[in-house]
């Protein structure tokens, strides 16, 4: 566990006061109104790759986009707004990932690799050389409504959609089984093929790790709803 830090405790208190303000379920959606396709992005679950693959629906060449997360041409709408326009003719989908692999990928990309750690993690008292177990312990000790989307349970982010049978939730690990289905649905609605999921190999290379008993225990505590909802095993 992290050593108690005055700054960390002040930040926790600040967030706890605001617990009723943030709604983790009001996640972003990326709706394409012409073909009526809506992608619900989950950070650290092929999110960047999927955004690039969908660019042809906007007549944008992926090679023309430097940062797909900051390009204003890509439509974004909170789920509360999208659901007001939704009807069963929409094709709504999302991609989820094994909770342990997703957490480890977030740890590497947001804490270990950057020269300066992700601001939200620094605010939690984490430092660049902290271990994966320390990272997990910090997430476990933090109010869930104050966690960044990269670290929230996937079931929390998708909770507004999961009761609806119309949503298709695909597991990243099974991409070989469902990608043709997704590509076929996109072609039927837009006349465009997506091709291969871009940068998938880079996504998969970042998760090779044997998790310790302590790490598994915290992962299960943090993401038990993801394991139950999406049928993953630890």
């Amino acid at each position: 566990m992290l050593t108690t830090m005055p700054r960390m405790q002040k930040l926790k208190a600040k967030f706890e006061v605001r617990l009723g303000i943030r709604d983790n379920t009001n996640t972003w959606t990326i709706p394409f109104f012409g073909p009526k396709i809506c992608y619900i992005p989950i950070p650290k679950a092929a999110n960047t790759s999927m955004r690039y693959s969908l660019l042809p629906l906007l007549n944008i060449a992926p090679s023309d986009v430097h940062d797909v997360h900051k390009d204003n041409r890509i439509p974004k709408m909170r789920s509360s707004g999208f659901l007001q326009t939704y009807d069963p003719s929409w094709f709504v989908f999302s991609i989820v990932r094994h909770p342990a692999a997703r957490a480890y990928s977030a740890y590497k990309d947001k804490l270990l690799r950057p020269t300066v750690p992700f601001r939200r993690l620094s605010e939690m008292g984490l430092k660049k050389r902290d271990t994966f177990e320390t990272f997990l312990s910090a997430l476990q000790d933090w109010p869930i409504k104050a966690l960044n989307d990269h670290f929230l349970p996937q079931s929390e982010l998708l909770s507004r959609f999961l009761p609806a049978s119309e949503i298709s939730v695909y597991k990243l690990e099974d991409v070989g089984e469902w990608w043709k289905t997704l590509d076929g649905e996109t072609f039927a609605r837009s006349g465009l093929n997506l091709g291969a999921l871009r940068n998938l190999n880079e996504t998969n290379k970042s998760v090779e790790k044997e998790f310790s008993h302590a790490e598994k225990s915290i992962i299960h505590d943090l993401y038990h709803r993801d394991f139950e909802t999406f049928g993953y095993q630890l």
Side-chain angles (χ1 to χ4, degrees):
M1 298 291 289
L2 288 176
T3 301
T4 301
M5 301 173 61
R7 174 173 167 76
M8 177 179 176
Q9 296 305 316
K10 289 178 182 178
L11 284 165
K12 286 183 68 175
K14 173 184 174 182
F15 282 127
E16 285 169 353
V17 169
R18 299 176 57 196
L19 285 183
I21 297 176
R22 186 184 180 201
D23 184 354
N24 293 337
T25 70
N26 197 19
T27 188
W28 288 108
T29 69
I30 300 179
F32 301 88
F33 285 92
K36 302 189 85 170
I37 296 171
C38 182
Y39 167 53
I40 308 170
I42 300 292
K44 308 312 302 173
N47 178 21
T48 300
S49 301
M50 194 67 244
R51 288 176 188 241
Y52 273 108
S53 293
L54 291 171
L55 286 175
L57 295 178
L58 300 170
N59 294 316
I60 300 174
S63 58
D64 292 339
V65 176
H66 173 66
D67 187 340
V68 74
H69 296 282
K70 296 180 179 179
D71 196 304
N72 292 329
R73 295 172 293 179
I74 300 171
K76 288 203 317 181
M77 180 181 291
R78 288 290 185 182
S79 57
S80 56
F82 171 73
L83 287 171
Q84 291 179 11
T85 67
Y86 169 81
D87 66 63
S89 66
W90 278 82
F91 175 67
V92 182
F93 76 98
S94 189
I95 302 170
V96 297
R97 186 178 189 179
H98 192 289
R102 178 172 174 259
Y104 187 60
S105 178
Y107 165 70
K108 293 181 70 175
D109 290 348
K110 299 300 180 182
L111 190 63
L112 290 190
R113 287 176 176 165
T115 303
V116 178
F118 188 50
R119 179 174 61 85
R120 297 294 180 84
L121 296 180
S122 296
E123 290 174 347
M124 295 165 70
L126 287 163
K127 302 179 294 297
K128 185 175 176 64
R129 295 184 181 277
D130 281 333
T131 66
F132 183 50
E133 184 179 340
T134 300
F135 165 80
L136 291 172
S137 295
L139 299 185
Q140 185 182 40
D141 192 45
W142 206 251
I144 189 169
K145 284 188 176 293
L147 286 177
N148 180 267
D149 289 359
H150 289 83
F151 319 119
L152 277 172
Q154 297 162 103
S155 51
E156 179 91 356
L157 293 169
L158 291 177
S159 60
R160 292 200 182 201
F161 296 89
L162 289 174
S165 59
E166 291 83 2
I167 183 175
S168 296
V169 178
Y170 300 117
K171 290 183 178 181
L172 176 60
E173 298 80 9
D174 299 332
V175 62
E177 299 176 12
W178 55 259
W179 184 255
K180 287 185 178 180
T181 301
L182 178 61
D183 191 34
E185 185 70 35
T186 303
F187 181 79
R189 291 169 174 268
S190 68
L192 296 172
N193 287 114
L194 298 179
L197 184 59
R198 301 170 187 275
N199 301 321
L200 182 59
N201 289 338
E202 293 180 15
T203 298
N204 285 337
K205 283 179 182 176
S206 66
V207 300
E208 296 176 1
K209 174 178 168 56
E210 283 289 329
F211 299 104
S212 70
H213 176 75
E215 290 167 348
K216 288 181 178 180
S217 178
I218 301 172
I219 289 168
H220 187 270
D221 182 63
L222 280 166
Y223 301 115
H224 60 92
R225 282 186 57 204
D226 284 359
F227 287 102
E228 296 167 2
T229 301
F230 306 118
Y232 283 110
Q233 301 292 322
L234 185 59

